[in-house]
């Protein structure tokens, strides 16, 4: 595994704009766009796995179709894993993939920043 670059190396080596014309954080930000995606990911960071019904209850006003769409996009991006249990009654559980688990320190940092600066 390659060693991650230091913050100073990042500042010196990563261009502000990529060849595609976006900044280095744009692709990651696009993965999180959508009304429910950040809350779903944060919920799975706090407790995982979660069933569909648990996620719906946790999010409050989400519709089944909106939740299903967000979960499918997060699964397609490789951030969450969907496991279907063929039991009676059938159920589905969602958990973070390794890629999704790499978000844990990021969510922690954002939460600490928010507690510090947002009343």
């Amino acid at each position: 595994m390659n060693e991650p670059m230091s913050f100073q190396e990042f500042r010196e080596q990563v261009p502000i704009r990529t060849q595609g014309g976006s900044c280095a954080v744009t692709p990651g930000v696009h993965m999180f766009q959508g009304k429910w995606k950040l809350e779903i990911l944060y919920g799975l960071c706090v407790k995982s796995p979660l069933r569909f019904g648990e996620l719906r209850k946790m999010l409050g006003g989400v519709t089944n179709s909106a939740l299903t769409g967000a979960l499918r996009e997060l699964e397609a991006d490789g951030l969450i894993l969907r496991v279907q249990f063929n039991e009676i009654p059938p159920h589905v559980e969602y958990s973070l993939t390794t890629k999704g688990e790499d978000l844990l320190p990021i969510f922690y940092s954002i939460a600490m920043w928010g507690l510090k600066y947002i009343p």
Side-chain angles (χ1 to χ4, degrees):
M1 178 185 229
N2 293 339
E3 286 292 317
M5 66 175 71
S6 70
F7 181 68
Q8 187 60 37
E9 291 170 325
F10 174 83
R11 291 181 74 182
E12 293 169 358
Q13 297 175 21
V14 176
I16 293 173
R17 307 286 286 173
T18 64
Q19 289 178 344
S22 65
C23 73
V25 298
T26 300
V29 170
H30 282 274
M31 280 184 152
F32 308 132
Q33 286 181 331
K35 185 171 181 180
W36 303 104
K37 287 183 180 181
L38 283 174
E39 291 182 58
I40 292 167
L41 289 169
Y42 182 73
L44 290 171
C45 283
V46 173
K47 182 182 179 200
S48 186
L50 287 171
R51 290 185 177 194
F52 184 90
E54 292 174 306
L55 282 164
R56 190 179 64 228
K57 186 176 181 180
M58 177 190 77
L59 296 172
V62 67
T63 64
N64 284 350
S65 60
L67 179 55
T68 298
L71 289 167
R72 284 183 181 155
E73 290 176 18
L74 291 167
E75 184 181 16
D77 287 334
L79 297 172
I80 65 170
L81 178 66
R82 179 184 188 273
V83 177
Q84 183 170 337
F85 295 88
N86 295 322
E87 303 171 343
I88 304 296
H91 71 275
V92 176
E93 289 183 348
Y94 296 90
S95 59
L96 295 173
T97 61
T98 301
K99 183 177 176 181
E101 288 174 348
D102 284 347
L103 294 169
L104 290 165
I106 296 167
F107 278 114
Y108 173 77
S109 295
I110 292 170
M112 293 300 99
W113 181 87
L115 291 170
K116 182 176 180 179
Y117 292 108
I118 300 171

